[in-house]
Amino acid sequence: IRGLTILLAWIIPFLLFTASLQVKYPRYMLPITPLLILLGAWAMVTVARRWRVMWSLIAITLISMLIYALAFINMYTEPHPWVTLSEWMYRNIPKGTAIFSDKWDEDLPIAMRVDNEARSENDFAKQIVDSYERPDSQAKLESSLRKLAASDYLVMPSNRMYGVLPRLPTRFPLMSKYYRALFDGRLGFEVVMITNRYPNLLGWRIVNDTFTSVNLPVPALAAFTARDLNFSFADESFTLYDHPLAMGLRNVKRLSAEEMLKAVLAP
């Protein structure tokens, strides 16, 4: 009992403090995660000693944890999506091409050697915008659309932008409309490359849906299969750095900035 009291004296104040924060990243829980695991194990064993049938629950829990751990480790046998997307860009997009990207997402392509040639992001003309700029005014939108209209490709290394801004329509009303217009094709861009990696085992994947939770259409190249276990939305800080979904979009219709503006503002 004394040992349990000492643990709870640390865990409970930590949980209360973390819960009071506006942003609650899973990594904030790391200081108490081992203790929570120990308490959970202690609780299950204590209950199982009273009701033997509960030993089956412990077995199911341990087997489930083992399966997920193996699936997660197996994910790292595949290259990182940012490496795959960067290599695709170097092989498929001519040097000097104008590429649209956001300053708050990963800066791609990463430097690497392709076909024994040193390549870097300087091979392309970057059109960079700040989607988080406040206020979310029409002037900001028009400036972004001018750069978008002048770009041949749009690169999205993760869902850091489209997975957040549409969830804040009162704070970013125009950018929320912009991302919906982009993904439903009204801005004339088409998804031509998607790369990802998920925890997987024996042909089954544990996937997270970055589109449905923000009411965006799922691109055809990102469609899930019958062998995907779709757990819907996953916290960005959990997926971003080791298994983000990265995309490349091509400017197919070549709309003007004015045409794009009408498409975004259309009811």
Side-chain angles (χ1 to χ4, degrees):
I1 298 298
R2 181 178 299 177
L4 179 61
T5 302
I6 293 174
L7 292 180
L8 293 177
W10 160 242
I11 292 174
I12 293 176
F14 186 92
L15 282 174
L16 293 175
F17 173 77
T18 305
S20 68
L21 300 176
Q22 183 177 8
V23 179
K24 304 174 181 65
Y25 292 126
R27 63 176 179 267
Y28 290 179
M29 302 299 293
L30 290 177
I32 63 172
T33 297
L35 300 180
L36 293 176
I37 294 173
L38 289 174
L39 285 177
W42 170 80
M44 285 195 296
V45 171
T46 300
V47 172
R49 285 174 176 172
R50 294 188 179 183
W51 296 285
R52 292 185 178 181
V53 69
M54 295 302 293
W55 285 108
S56 60
L57 176 61
I58 295 178
I60 293 172
T61 301
L62 292 176
I63 292 172
S64 300
M65 293 173 62
L66 176 62
I67 291 174
Y68 186 79
L70 292 175
F72 207 87
I73 293 173
N74 199 39
M75 178 180 69
Y76 294 105
T77 62
E78 304 173 28
H80 194 285
W82 293 343
V83 174
T84 303
L85 180 56
S86 295
E87 186 173 359
W88 179 87
M89 292 172 66
Y90 290 133
R91 293 186 184 279
N92 294 276
I93 303 178
K95 291 182 179 181
T97 297
I99 296 179
F100 183 94
S101 60
D102 198 284
K103 67 174 290 186
W104 293 107
D105 214 334
E106 189 68 19
D107 196 9
L108 295 185
I110 61 177
M112 62 171 58
R113 296 191 69 83
V114 178
D115 298 329
N116 206 31
E117 179 185 2
R119 304 291 301 272
S120 73
E121 61 177 304
N122 296 326
D123 291 346
F124 305 107
K126 290 294 191 71
Q127 299 284 344
I128 300 176
V129 298
D130 181 358
S131 295
Y132 281 123
E133 179 186 350
R134 299 287 302 276
D136 193 47
S137 63
Q138 185 164 326
K140 165 193 167 183
L141 176 62
E142 291 175 354
S143 175
S144 297
L145 292 178
R146 282 194 294 270
K147 293 183 177 181
L148 183 64
S151 301
D152 301 296
Y153 285 85
L154 185 158
V155 174
M156 289 185 176
S158 72
N159 67 323
R160 178 175 280 170
M161 312 309 301
Y162 73 82
V164 175
L165 295 173
R167 299 171 66 190
L168 303 170
T170 56
R171 189 174 299 180
F172 296 99
L174 295 179
M175 293 310 298
S176 298
K177 293 181 178 180
Y178 158 77
Y179 278 106
R180 290 190 172 88
L182 175 66
F183 279 99
D184 67 21
R186 282 180 286 154
L187 300 187
F189 277 74
E190 177 183 333
V191 177
V192 293
M193 200 283 181
I194 282 184
T195 177
N196 53 51
R197 64 179 184 182
Y198 296 109
N200 63 90
L201 190 65
L202 301 176
W204 291 85
R205 302 191 305 173
I206 303 173
V207 304
N208 57 283
D209 186 349
T210 61
F211 303 99
T212 305
S213 63
V214 287
N215 297 318
L216 295 177
V218 180
L221 294 178
F224 300 119
T225 71
R227 295 179 67 85
D228 288 338
L229 303 177
N230 187 354
F231 290 162
S232 188
F233 176 77
D235 188 271
E236 173 204 312
S237 65
F238 173 69
T239 63
L240 179 65
Y241 296 108
D242 60 5
H243 58 291
L245 184 144
M247 291 185 287
L249 295 85
R250 186 174 62 203
N251 191 346
V252 177
K253 295 184 179 180
R254 297 286 176 177
L255 301 179
S256 66
E258 291 74 19
E259 291 174 314
M260 290 182 177
L261 181 62
K262 290 181 181 178
V264 173
L265 298 180

